[in-house]
Amino acid sequence: MALIWANAWPQSYQEVLHHTIGPSGPLHLDLSLEAWAKDGLLTVFFFVAGIELKREFVAGELRTPSAAALPVVAALCGVALPAIVFAVVNSGAGGHPGGWAIPTATDIAFALGVLAVVSSHLPSALRAFLLTLAVVDDLIAILIIAIFYSSGIKFWALGLSLAGLVLFWFLHRRGVHGWYLFVPLALVIWALMHESGVHATVAGVAMGLLLRCHREPGEDVSPGEHIEHLVRPLSAGVAVPLFALFAAGVTISPSALADVFTQAMPLGIVLGLLLGKSIGIFGGTWLAARFTRAELNPQLTWADLFAVSTLAGIGFTVSLLISELAFPKDAVLADRAKAAVLVGSLLCALVATVLLKLRNRHYRQLCEEEDRDSDGDGIPDIYEQDDPGWSAQRLREERA
């Protein structure tokens, strides 16, 4: 919708984008709709991401160092190599090295969505690895935004925002309930964080991390899980789509597409997503498994991992956000960066779909062989061989 609107009626799209609403005053909340989407709506998305992070640390793959080692190393390498690829491509004259962080992010929703569409026989461990990888990737992206894209820090506002977070944590730990208390407090924390110069989405992540995600005796779900269940539809159904509507509206033309593959900055983004992500995640995981005690999940093969590494190159929500933060005073460069994010993400989705389809077909054939019952006696043929032990061993080897 954003692409159609921005290309069919560009003037009206820009007018809506820059329409200002909100109260003025000491907190300067008279913002454009584009800024509200970037700083406001995405805070809801990052709030949910913060809860996911906390849950992974408490009860997920990140709760033990041995289980977390490979996904964490994969995420770190999957951030570092795209940034290096971008920096190399933009090292010459005419490059724009300031956009190095754009190809570093993985979009959890799109990546898991593609995997869900393609997968029917893929191991469940593949989804768990991708989810853990993407969650750690989000944490790194949040740190990048907080450290490299915050400027002109106002310490009085930052201090009051941190005090609000302490109050948020205290009330939550004391078992105080009531949205009418926490929602106004969250809005105040967000407004102060926005005024401080630190990107406002950091407030959402911080509040998500402060929620309790472990269950106490007598609880069916933890408070964090309950709140995530309530807020996720708002994030996935309203916040992210509206952000995309105001962020993804770039001009698409033959010359614009040519610029993506001929100019250093957008080309660095495309190569960072397509090559940097896949090689970084796969290579980092292989090196960690080769030279440390970390081991790949026995349900997975290296072919599975390469396919999901390519899938992790889909960078949409956070990459679009960083595109705007990297070039705040140059709308043309920001639009080129967004176009490159869309093209790179599409290429990664297509390549990953092909690779995952091949792996899915492989696992489907193994399942069919295991379940085949030629004589119809209700016992799979594999258990009726002369040497059942040999057949089981062969099946295990083929799956490996």
Side-chain angles (χ1 to χ4, degrees):
M1 289 176 62
L3 292 171
I4 293 171
W5 187 3
N7 286 273
W9 304 281
Q11 185 176 354
S12 68
Y13 182 79
Q14 291 300 322
E15 289 176 354
V16 171
L17 207 64
H18 297 102
H19 180 70
T20 300
I21 60 172
S24 58
L27 295 181
H28 307 97
L29 295 179
D30 47 338
L31 306 173
S32 67
L33 290 178
E34 180 184 24
W36 277 111
K38 179 178 65 177
D39 296 345
L41 291 175
L42 272 196
T43 302
V44 179
F45 167 79
F46 278 105
F47 175 69
V48 174
I51 300 175
E52 290 177 337
L53 278 169
K54 183 65 173 290
R55 196 174 66 245
E56 286 294 321
F57 285 126
V58 171
E61 292 288 330
L62 300 178
R63 71 184 184 278
T64 58
S66 58
L70 283 186
V72 170
V73 170
L76 290 171
C77 295
V79 168
L81 194 59
I84 293 171
V85 169
F86 182 93
V88 170
V89 174
N90 286 267
S91 60
H96 298 276
W100 62 271
I102 297 173
T104 60
T106 294
D107 192 285
I108 297 178
F110 271 102
L112 291 177
V114 171
L115 184 64
V117 170
V118 174
S119 173
S120 60
H121 292 79
L122 292 174
S124 59
L126 197 63
R127 185 184 185 279
F129 183 91
L130 176 61
L131 179 60
T132 307
L133 163 72
V135 166
V136 177
D137 187 282
D138 265 0
L139 176 59
I140 298 172
I142 292 159
L143 294 174
I144 289 174
I145 291 171
I147 296 171
F148 295 99
Y149 295 102
S150 298
S151 59
I153 304 299
K154 298 179 180 178
F155 289 99
W156 68 267
L158 180 60
L160 289 175
S161 181
L162 294 177
L165 287 170
V166 172
L167 178 60
F168 182 95
W169 173 84
F170 178 78
L171 294 175
H172 177 65
R173 290 292 171 164
R174 285 290 183 177
V176 177
H177 301 287
W179 64 268
Y180 47 84
L181 178 63
F182 284 97
V183 171
L185 177 59
L187 291 174
V188 171
I189 293 170
W190 173 86
L192 289 167
M193 188 71 73
H194 179 270
E195 178 63 16
S196 73
V198 177
H199 200 269
T201 53
V202 174
V205 178
M207 287 184 281
L209 288 171
L210 291 176
L211 294 179
R212 178 169 62 82
C213 290
H214 65 272
R215 301 177 187 179
E216 294 187 346
E219 289 183 338
D220 294 329
V221 295
S222 67
E225 291 174 301
H226 176 66
I227 295 172
E228 181 186 5
H229 178 73
L230 295 176
V231 178
R232 182 177 290 279
L234 177 63
S235 171
V238 178
V240 173
L242 283 178
F243 167 76
L245 182 65
F246 291 120
V250 295
T251 303
I252 300 296
S253 64
S255 60
L257 291 176
D259 288 344
V260 170
F261 296 100
T262 57
Q263 296 190 8
M265 190 274 292
L267 180 61
I269 294 173
V270 173
L271 294 179
L273 291 172
L274 185 60
L275 299 180
K277 274 289 186 183
S278 56
I279 297 175
I281 292 172
F282 180 82
T285 307
W286 185 86
L287 289 173
R290 176 68 176 81
F291 296 106
T292 70
R293 295 182 179 181
E295 295 181 355
L296 187 67
N297 189 302
Q299 295 183 27
L300 303 180
T301 68
W302 290 109
D304 300 329
L305 188 71
F306 184 75
V308 85
S309 300
T310 306
L311 183 62
I314 300 177
F316 186 74
T317 307
V318 180
S319 292
L320 290 177
L321 171 63
I322 298 178
S323 297
E324 295 190 356
L325 299 178
F327 306 110
K329 298 179 180 179
D330 196 328
V332 174
L333 279 180
D335 281 351
R336 287 178 186 169
K338 292 177 186 178
V341 168
L342 297 176
V343 171
S345 297
L346 178 62
L347 290 175
C348 288
L350 293 175
V351 173
T353 297
V354 173
L355 295 176
L356 289 169
K357 281 281 190 181
L358 293 174
R359 299 307 301 161
N360 193 67
R361 184 174 65 181
H362 171 73
Y363 283 108
R364 185 179 67 246
Q365 290 173 346
L366 289 180
C367 289
E368 291 173 352
E369 179 179 342
E370 186 177 4
D371 296 337
R372 186 180 296 115
D373 182 15
S374 302
D375 53 11
D377 62 355
I379 301 176
D381 296 344
I382 194 170
Y383 299 112
E384 296 182 303
Q385 302 292 332
D386 293 335
D387 186 355
W390 176 86
S391 300
Q393 176 65 21
R394 176 189 170 200
L395 183 63
R396 284 195 295 269
E397 290 174 355
E398 289 181 347
R399 285 184 167 175

